[in-house]
Structure formats: structure tokens, C-alpha cells
Amino acid sequence: MSSMKVRFAPSPTGPFHIGGARSALFNWLLARKEKGTFVLRIEDTDLARSTRESEENIKASLQWLGMNWDEGIDVGGDNGPYRQTERLDLYKEVTQRLLDEGKAYECYCTPEELDAVRQEQMDRGETPKYNGHCQHLDEETKAKYIAEGRKPTIRLRVPLNKTYAFDDMVRGHVSFESNGVGDFVIVKSDGIPVYNFAVVMDDHMMDITHVIRAEEHLSNTPRQMAIYEALGWEVPKFGHISLILGKDYKKMSKRHGATSVEQYKQLGYLPEALVNFLALLGWAPEGEEEFFTQDELIQAFSMDRVAKNPAVFDIDKLNHINFHYMKNLSDEELFHLCLPHLKEVGLAPDSLNQADFDRLTLFCTTFRDHISYGAQIKEYVDIFDYNKIRFDYNLLNSTLDYELDEILKMDSTSIVLDSFSDELYKLSTITPESVKGAIKSVVKSTGFKGKLVFMPIRIVLTGTMHGPDLNNIITLLGKEECLYRISCYKQWQESTQLSQNTKDVLYLSINKNN
């Protein structure tokens, strides 16, 4: 196994964000490409916000996306524990070492005192930083502060006039000046290390060689490098990937739609499609190919093709990719992907018999080419709701409405519908095959073909001129429903006393209960 070792270290403070999934994916792909080790650890030192529920959501989402980890939470390894709150004793040892070596010190400044100093610095036009008040406290002053009930934080001594520079895997050469950093807190007054301190200790103790994370952590890097230097530890290789933006080029948030992996799973997206899409958010393959299997992504991925510029989350692109993968689903797999959404709208009972399964599977496969993800199947259930199918004969200015009206006015329409009704009556069972035979009989008995046969039937039954396989639609509606809708059309047709201005009371909107 390669000596490369990467990690994904999320904070379990909410649903697993799509941006976190992209960071995890880049780490995972690099580890698999280089035959390295992928570590999952949990950074849960934000005690107020961290929950085990969020941790489980992160793990379940990673597993659903196919990103298994080699070391870490649940899996184990030689460098555990892998939850930060279970590593506090390890952190205390390192903290004490820094105190003993004079590289860190106790700070008794109150938040109010720190705020006042910060404001004075800003008023003078200076960059706010700690003024070093507690750098060299004598024991008498410390005792006084302790007597006042002050609980100290621990600050790292940051050397002056030092440049912290590194070659970022994405951004190239980056440097920061230590004078703009100041002595910063590494342990809070409750004894819990801050992020920058804990992450350095964890990465070193777990032998992490490469750190790939979001660019918002770039400003943390000089602080972390100062800690590495104070402890005499080797600094890992950093790579800061760009933020994910919405189409409005603002940071992705709830206003842009779903933001968590769980939401996309619930909407009926496929994990392989989401992985394919996330890989292309900020990474560009060498060729023009946009569809990659997991193995193909591993072989093609490299950090030198990760872009500096922000990645734009394009939901249309995700839908395009997901549609591609959905084409490979079997009819049964497609049904199970759509089933939760069919239940949501009351089309599928909680307990399915074979007839329910067959009918709903046919429904899903009928609209297979019209949906990009599972939840979209809900957009087509109105076909079963007779009162939601409408025509408006006052709106004949569009080509579609004009054509529809012209078809209904043809002399052949009534002949075709009468013949089709007769053929439906004859059917003992209704299947796509038996419907196909019935329509062939209509063609034979009427002498009409193509559009003159199919269009009137489709329009009267569905309210539209276009749609999926008509044989399937008729089967889904059932014999009685089809005959009823044709009957309603005839009622409208016979109501010749209606004026043109009142024909927007449509034949298909006649209430079944009337």
C-alpha cells in the first residue's frame, strides 16, 4: 500500500452537505488512485451542535455514495479513537508539552477586555490581533485572576516576522506573514482544543500526508503551520478546493434547492449519478467524456486538473447525468426508485399485491423517458385524476390548441371513438398487447390510419396531443375509465347549443359525481 494517507473529518452538526460530499469524494478518489489510505474521523468538539444523529447521517451518506473508508470511525485502526471528544487525554499531553516548553501560555483576558482591545486596533486602522497582554504574567497576577474566577485559555506563541509559505495542490504557491496572525487560542477555557489545534494533532497522530479541503480553510493554514512548527512535526501537503456556488454565483444554500446528500437520495437520484456529477464540480477530465463509472473516475482523477475557480452547481446538468444512469435501471429497479413518491401522492397502497406491483411498474416504465429522478414521477399522476384534465377553447392562439381543436372537429373523430369503444367493450382483459390489437381493429374497420386514429383517442383520454406509449396509457386507465371519458366527450359533442364563448366548460371537466 502507498504511503499516501488522506482523511475526511466532518463536524456532525447537521445533514451531510453536498459540499462536504464533494470534499470527501476528492480525498477518496486520490486515495484510491494512489492506492493509499482513506480515513474517516469525526470532529465533534463543538459540543453544543454536534449530535450522533448527524454522525450517522454522514456515515450512511458516504456508504450510499460508495465511499468506503479504510480506517476510522466504526472501522477502527491503529490511530484511534476516531472521535475528537474521545481524544481529549491525547490533546492534554500535547498542550502540556507546549506549556512546559514555553511555546504556549495561559491567557486570562476576558471577552470584554479582548473586544475593547480589538475595537481600539480597528479605530487606529490596524488589523485586529491579540496584543500579548498575558504573554509574561507573574504568579501573583495569575493568582489574582484565578481568585476573580477567571478561567484561562491557552494561546500559542507565534514568532514575529516569519513567513508561512507552502505549495498548494490547487492554488500553487501561497504565503502568509506571522505578524498578521498574533498569538491565538489553541485551547478554550473549558479545556476543549479549538479546531486548528485539534486538527493538527489528529492529522499528525494519524500520519496524514495530504489534506484536501474547502478553500474556506485556507486562512486557517498559517495557524496550523505555526502549530506544526512549535511541535517540530512535518507539515502535510495541502490542497484547497473551490466553493460550490449556485447558478446566481452565490454560496450554495437552501434557496438554491436541496443542499444535503440525504435530500437527493430522498428525491430519487442515483448514487452513481451524484458521484459522477460531484466529481465534475471543480475537476475537469482530459477528454470530453462526462459519464464515468467509479473505476473510471479513480483512474482519471488527478489534483492537477482541479480548478481554482468556484464550481457552479447546475441542477440541469445533474438531471442530465441522472437520466443517463436511470436508463440502465431494470423495470423493477425503476419501480422501487419511484415507489416512495407514488406512496406520497396516494397512488400506491402501503401493502402491495401483485396487481398493484404490475400496474405501478407499468406506470413507471411508461414515463421512464419523461423523468430525470424518482420524485418526478409525481408530475404524471394527474393522468388518473379525471377532473385535472382541461381544455380551454378560448385559447386557440397557440399551434397546439389550434391543432387539438381541429382534430376534435374532424368527422373521422366520432367514427374512430365509436369504433374504439366497441373494441374496448369486447376485451375481457386489458393489457398493452390487447389494446394494441383493439386499435388495429379500429384501423381495419374504419379505414382510417395513423394520426386520424391515434390522436382522437389520445386527446379524449389524456387531454394532450403528445405523450408516452398510448397502449400503456389505456391499460393504466383501465377499460371502465376509458369508456367513461369517451362518454363524457360525446356528452360535450352533443351539447351543440353551447356558444363558442362558453365552451371553456370543458367536456373532460364534467364531474364524475354529476
Side-chain angles (χ1 to χ4, degrees), residues 20 22 33 66 74 194 235 264 332 363 433 481 494:
R22 197 267 304 257
K33 174 74 176 288
D74 293 346
V194 301
V235 179
Y264 285 98
E332 185 173 349
F363 176 60
E433 291 73 24
E481 179 70 14
E494 292 167 359

Side-chain angles (χ1 to χ4, degrees), residues 125-196:
E126 300 173 359
T127 301
K129 63 178 182 179
Y130 184 60
N131 63 359
H133 177 268
C134 294
Q135 280 182 345
H136 304 289
L137 290 181
D138 55 39
E139 293 303 318
E140 183 179 348
T141 305
K142 285 185 181 180
K144 173 188 172 186
Y145 286 149
I146 293 172
E148 293 175 0
R150 300 193 187 198
K151 293 184 177 180
T153 59
I154 308 296
R155 288 184 180 272
L156 184 77
R157 295 187 191 275
V158 177
L160 295 174
N161 304 317
K162 181 174 181 63
T163 299
Y164 291 105
F166 62 98
D167 292 320
D168 192 278
M169 287 184 281
V170 177
R171 305 187 176 277
H173 191 73
V174 182
S175 63
F176 296 88
E177 299 302 321
S178 66
N179 291 356
V181 176
D183 295 352
F184 58 91
V185 174
I186 56 174
V187 180
K188 295 177 287 186
S189 59
D190 61 2
I192 303 296
V194 301
Y195 164 77
N196 281 319

Side-chain angles (χ1 to χ4, degrees), residues 101-375:
E101 295 176 357
K103 295 175 180 176
Y105 59 91
E106 294 177 331
C107 174
Y108 292 86
C109 296
T110 65
E112 293 77 15
E113 290 169 344
L114 294 172
D115 287 342
V117 171
R118 185 178 298 109
Q119 188 59 53
E120 289 175 5
Q121 291 173 336
M122 292 173 64
D123 290 343
R124 294 194 298 268
E126 300 173 359
T127 301
K129 63 178 182 179
Y130 184 60
N131 63 359
H133 177 268
C134 294
Q135 280 182 345
H136 304 289
L137 290 181
D138 55 39
E139 293 303 318
E140 183 179 348
T141 305
K142 285 185 181 180
K144 173 188 172 186
Y145 286 149
I146 293 172
E148 293 175 0
R150 300 193 187 198
K151 293 184 177 180
T153 59
I154 308 296
R155 288 184 180 272
L156 184 77
R157 295 187 191 275
V158 177
L160 295 174
N161 304 317
K162 181 174 181 63
T163 299
Y164 291 105
F166 62 98
D167 292 320
D168 192 278
M169 287 184 281
V170 177
R171 305 187 176 277
H173 191 73
V174 182
S175 63
F176 296 88
E177 299 302 321
S178 66
N179 291 356
V181 176
D183 295 352
F184 58 91
V185 174
I186 56 174
V187 180
K188 295 177 287 186
S189 59
D190 61 2
I192 303 296
V194 301
Y195 164 77
N196 281 319
F197 190 32
V199 76
V200 166
M201 290 186 284
D202 290 340
D203 284 347
H204 173 75
M205 294 177 187
M206 295 179 188
D207 301 318
I208 302 302
T209 61
H210 294 70
V211 174
I212 304 170
R213 57 190 181 185
E215 68 172 320
E216 58 194 356
H217 289 292
L218 185 62
S219 60
N220 289 323
T221 309
R223 288 175 169 79
Q224 293 172 15
M225 292 181 73
I227 296 170
Y228 276 109
E229 180 182 74
L231 291 165
W233 292 343
E234 184 177 353
V235 179
K237 187 79 172 174
F238 291 107
H240 291 89
I241 57 181
S242 64
L243 295 176
I244 298 177
L245 306 181
K247 278 191 171 182
D248 57 1
Y249 289 91
K250 294 182 179 178
K251 188 175 180 180
M252 191 177 175
S253 64
K254 292 180 180 178
R255 70 177 178 276
H256 296 111
T259 59
S260 72
V261 172
E262 180 67 21
Q263 285 175 295
Y264 285 98
K265 179 181 179 182
Q266 291 175 352
L267 284 169
Y269 285 87
L270 298 172
E272 56 267 40
L274 193 55
V275 165
N276 195 151
F277 173 73
L278 289 175
L280 297 175
L281 279 179
W283 169 75
E286 291 189 8
E288 298 298 321
E289 181 61 43
E290 61 179 346
F291 301 115
F292 294 87
T293 65
Q294 187 182 86
D295 287 341
E296 288 169 344
L297 276 177
I298 291 170
Q299 293 306 313
F301 184 78
S302 64
M303 288 300 295
D304 59 3
R305 297 193 66 84
V306 175
K308 298 179 185 178
N309 298 329
V312 176
F313 191 100
D314 185 345
I315 189 66
D316 294 330
K317 180 69 175 291
L318 173 57
N319 289 343
H320 168 68
I321 292 174
N322 201 69
F323 179 79
H324 169 82
Y325 283 94
M326 283 182 65
K327 289 190 296 185
N328 299 324
L329 296 179
S330 67
D331 290 350
E332 185 173 349
E333 289 170 334
L334 179 65
F335 163 73
H336 285 294
L337 185 71
C338 296
L339 181 58
H341 310 288
L342 298 175
K343 288 185 176 181
E344 183 183 333
V345 295
L347 195 60
D350 289 334
S351 179
L352 296 174
N353 57 34
Q354 188 62 43
D356 294 325
F357 174 81
D358 293 342
R359 181 168 179 259
L360 293 174
T361 299
L362 178 62
F363 176 60
C364 295
T365 55
T366 298
F367 289 94
R368 173 191 285 272
D369 292 338
H370 296 257
I371 61 175
S372 297
Y373 54 94

